[in-house]
Amino acid sequence: MRVNQVAAGCCLLLVPNLATARIDRKHIVSSFNIIRTNLIDNETTPLQVGNGNFAFNVDSTGMQTFLPFNTLSSWAWHNDSLPSNGELPSDYHGVPRETYGRQVYYDLPDASLKQATQWLISNPNRINLGRIGLTYKGATISSSQITQPKQVLDLWNGIIISTFQIHGKDVKVTTQGDFDEDAVVFKIESNLVKSHDLGVELDFPYPPIHTTAYKYEVFAGVYDFPLNHTTSVTAKNDKAGTASIKHQLQETSYFANLRWPAQSALELTRNEPEGSKSTTAHRYTLKPSSKMSSSISFTAHFSPDRRTPPLPSTVQKRNKLEWNRYWQEGGFVDFTASSNPNATELQRRIVTSQYHVRVNSAAKDQSPQESGLMNNGWYGKFHMEMVIWHNAHWATWGKQKYFDNIFPGLYERLLPSSLARAKSMGWEGARWPKMTDPIYGINSPGDINGVLLWQQPHPMYLAQLAYQASPTRNTLERWDRVLTETANYIASYAGLNASTGKYDLGPPSYGVTENTPPNSTRNLAYEIAYWRYGLDAAREWKRKLGQRIPDRWTHVAANLAPPPQAGGLYAVYDGLNSSWWNDTKLTGDPRSLIMLQGILPDTAAVDPKIALATADKVAQVWTDDKIRGWGRPVLAINSARIGNPERAMYHLTAYDYWRFDDAGFAIRGGDGGTPAPFIPGNAGFLYALAYVVGGWAGSKGDAPGVPKNGGWIVKHEGLRRAL
């Protein structure tokens, strides 16, 4: 372990008696347990248990009693009914735009096929697997019936403990997830259980037709269409303590598999007969079959098929063990010895973010949607341009198994559709989608989605992180096809400009900040630099494998147009003069220029001196009130890399502007319109911390992004350098 002690007025000091001391991770993590003593409302982020592929979101009761929060997974998706006007998704073929002298069909909204376009945007959509809450004397409990609430999320053990009273009677609910399976376990303790006044209800919603009104769903699913779907108890074994409920939604079906200890028998009943038209038509009640005990426990397991889930005791034991193991493995950062007044909140964000990414960002072969497994934003689909911000932290925090669980499997899954997309547009290789799903890999039509560029070289960046962690031939071979087809597309897409002899990117094109005129934007500075980095990385990959490097890759790399400049500084795109710094639309979010010497590793396309001067100019015009989303992490990374640790730490601790809520979820802010959380904020924050504390390729000294004054003292262990 390396220890960096930085205190006001002193120089860098390695402290011998701390150099071999391990960080007391359990003490630090536990000191930031999330505690709530008020009833939450529908604008509060719920606490969660889960495993990355599955999450159960709870209200103040530790269940979904008075707020219908979601039970979401990486695998449960659904298609709405086809458009009512007879349009078919297959009628949609894109919208033409002139590109390098020819007509190319892009995934843009088609005004002549509005309903078909909307269907493709919103389908498939992620579904809510069901609601599980408490009942009192056979009726759903309202918030007005609950008093003296207290809820604690024990982060070290992954346990939510909720205590409250119902009509003056104590109730305690313990909620745990499972790392191995998509399951949640409840233990409910109260004399109201013994008197049969307290029970459990399960309810299954139906997805609405996803118009633009349902672009964001805090509560996914509705209960207004009971005849559009069916539920039934398909298996029940009272002696074994098991039951399964099948939910059929047109082409989608799955099971809620239940299990309880056989010696503590429960009874599952359907509240209404099949075929009921009531909004409660798909509601079930689970209650003790006798009045012998004041507690009940059961496992609710969700799966595409019927299974016998593990006993509650099995999940309860291994959940704690797995969470303990998670906190003990990989990297850790400790600012608790700092005298700086910002240190405690910084540490809270570090700890809670690590919990939230484990629950929301550790799916198999899949990146999370921006609101994780809490609610549906953009119909539950994930954004391919955000995969680095969501997932690169796994590598730099020494938790490589989570990174490898996602990559390159995500790209391999999307490769067939991406090859077909590029071919249909007249290019070679794989054109990766922007907003998509893991089932069909369709690029959802959209003004931005159709022409965004910066997601294309991401595989090269991610492959380098994988190789840095495991520099073996196996890594090279595993990523080779993905990188080959990515580079084939990058080289093929660039268009030769006959007047300059250089290869251009666009128009049409949209860049990182999505605030330039797409039909006239050529040679975005960051995208040009990233294209060059991608081709260079792909060529080096082939060298390591001992394979021939395609001539076109080398030719295009050497002849790409340079990142545009104006007045000795980088400009967002080609054709701008120095007056663009007065254009508030562009200066409202100039993060792409920060990224030239921020997240982007050193590349021949970027002049470090010009990039430094540009970063200093951006610092003058991109003021605190304009920075949102993942702007702070990229500013912190850039600041550290240009040798300004004070600015780096400022951006990480700009709490008045960059808000994390009481549970430690990042809030997007700005004009996004998306409900909290903003998971790239948490994941990007961790990635920036890794740069600032762990360093990057070519950085010198320990914790190069931490100021040597200001009362900062940092210990860290298990981090890996960023690229």
Side-chain angles (χ1 to χ4, degrees), residues 148-169:
Q148 297 187 31
K150 182 178 182 181
Q151 190 168 63
V152 178
L153 171 50
D154 176 352
L155 294 166
W156 185 260
N157 295 305
I159 301 173
I160 299 174
I161 300 173
S162 309
T163 57
F164 49 95
Q165 289 188 346
I166 297 177
H167 292 286
K169 301 292 185 180

Side-chain angles (χ1 to χ4, degrees), residues 106 163 193 228-229 232 275 288 339 412 537 540 662:
Y106 290 87
T163 57
V193 173
N228 285 16
H229 56 132
S232 59
S339 60
E412 291 169 338
E540 181 61 25
D662 71 306

Side-chain angles (χ1 to χ4, degrees), residues 241-255:
T242 62
S244 291
I245 301 171
K246 182 178 182 180
H247 190 193
Q248 185 78 46
L249 309 87
Q250 296 173 312
E251 85 291 352
T252 302
S253 66
Y254 65 91
F255 291 81

Side-chain angles (χ1 to χ4, degrees), residues 434-554:
K434 190 275 188 200
M435 172 178 149
T436 190
D437 66 274
I439 300 174
Y440 305 110
I442 293 171
N443 187 38
S444 299
D447 292 325
I448 294 170
N449 299 0
V451 295
L452 195 72
L453 293 182
W454 68 290
Q455 74 271 31
Q456 302 304 334
H458 280 355
M460 284 73 165
Y461 188 101
L462 294 162
Q464 295 288 65
L465 284 172
Y467 188 75
Q468 179 173 274
S470 180
T472 65
R473 186 166 187 87
N474 181 64
T475 302
L476 294 169
E477 291 175 347
R478 178 73 198 279
W479 280 85
D480 184 45
R481 190 178 181 213
V482 168
L483 294 198
T484 297
E485 298 301 350
T486 301
N488 283 340
Y489 171 75
I490 287 175
S492 175
Y493 170 81
L496 182 62
N497 186 324
S499 63
T500 65
K502 298 291 185 180
Y503 285 91
D504 291 340
L505 303 184
S509 65
Y510 256 128
V512 169
T513 51
E514 304 170 3
N515 60 358
T516 66
N519 293 326
S520 59
T521 296
R522 175 183 290 107
N523 295 338
L524 290 145
Y526 180 73
E527 283 69 12
I528 280 283
Y530 203 13
W531 235 251
R532 175 61 189 272
Y533 167 81
L535 285 172
D536 287 346
R539 292 158 63 211
E540 181 61 25
W541 207 264
K542 289 295 185 185
R543 289 190 190 99
K544 290 187 171 88
L545 279 167
Q547 297 178 5
R548 186 186 70 83
I549 300 171
D551 293 339
R552 184 169 179 81
W553 297 5
T554 301

Side-chain angles (χ1 to χ4, degrees), residues 21-200:
R22 293 189 60 83
I23 298 171
D24 188 347
R25 298 188 182 198
K26 182 177 181 180
H27 172 74
I28 294 172
V29 171
S30 299
S31 66
F32 292 98
N33 285 343
I34 301 166
I35 301 173
R36 288 174 165 171
T37 56
N38 294 313
L39 285 176
I40 66 172
D41 58 29
N42 61 355
E43 294 185 351
T44 308
T45 51
L47 302 185
Q48 301 173 292
V49 295
N51 59 24
N53 280 296
F54 169 86
F56 187 85
N57 300 270
V58 307
D59 62 24
S60 301
T61 66
M63 304 180 79
Q64 298 156 342
T65 300
F66 62 89
L67 287 171
F69 286 122
N70 307 306
T71 307
L72 297 182
S73 73
S74 62
W75 48 265
W77 298 77
H78 170 262
N79 283 322
D80 296 337
S81 299
L82 292 174
S84 58
N85 66 352
E87 293 177 8
L88 296 174
S90 57
D91 296 335
Y92 175 88
H93 298 290
V95 176
R97 289 287 184 270
E98 182 175 334
T99 308
Y100 313 139
R102 66 181 179 89
Q103 292 293 305
V104 176
Y105 282 78
Y106 290 87
D107 298 321
L108 300 167
D110 188 339
S112 66
L113 291 168
K114 290 185 177 179
Q115 289 195 28
T117 298
Q118 179 58 41
W119 193 95
L120 288 166
I121 293 170
S122 56
N123 285 279
N125 43 79
R126 199 184 302 255
I127 62 174
N128 182 0
L129 295 170
R131 181 182 72 85
I132 306 176
L134 291 171
T135 62
Y136 178 70
K137 293 187 175 181
T140 302
I141 298 171
S142 68
S143 59
S144 62
Q145 295 173 278
I146 299 170
T147 57
Q148 297 187 31
K150 182 178 182 181
Q151 190 168 63
V152 178
L153 171 50
D154 176 352
L155 294 166
W156 185 260
N157 295 305
I159 301 173
I160 299 174
I161 300 173
S162 309
T163 57
F164 49 95
Q165 289 188 346
I166 297 177
H167 292 286
K169 301 292 185 180
D170 291 335
V171 181
K172 178 181 179 182
V173 177
T174 304
T175 312
Q176 292 178 260
D178 189 8
F179 272 28
D180 291 354
E181 303 195 43
D182 295 345
V184 57
V185 167
F186 305 98
K187 183 176 182 181
I188 304 164
E189 301 171 85
S190 175
N191 285 331
L192 293 174
V193 173
K194 190 172 184 178
S195 66
H196 269 210
D197 289 326
L198 199 64
V200 174

Side-chain angles (χ1 to χ4, degrees), residues 253-280:
S253 66
Y254 65 91
F255 291 81
N257 302 302
L258 306 174
R259 190 173 185 187
W260 52 87
Q263 65 272 22
S264 302
L266 302 180
E267 182 180 1
L268 177 69
T269 58
R270 183 175 186 137
N271 291 18
E272 299 188 27
E274 292 190 35
S276 169
K277 297 180 181 180
S278 169
T279 57
T280 60

Side-chain angles (χ1 to χ4, degrees), residues 547-604:
Q547 297 178 5
R548 186 186 70 83
I549 300 171
D551 293 339
R552 184 169 179 81
W553 297 5
T554 301
H555 177 71
V556 172
N559 292 281
L560 272 174
Q565 298 180 32
L569 303 176
Y570 284 118
V572 176
Y573 63 96
D574 201 10
L576 297 175
N577 57 37
S578 297
S579 67
W580 83 264
W581 292 101
N582 299 317
D583 184 339
T584 55
K585 183 176 182 180
L586 294 178
T587 59
D589 192 348
R591 76 183 68 192
S592 62
L593 299 182
I594 285 291
M595 292 167 68
L596 288 168
Q597 203 174 32
I599 192 171
L600 182 65
D602 292 341
T603 172

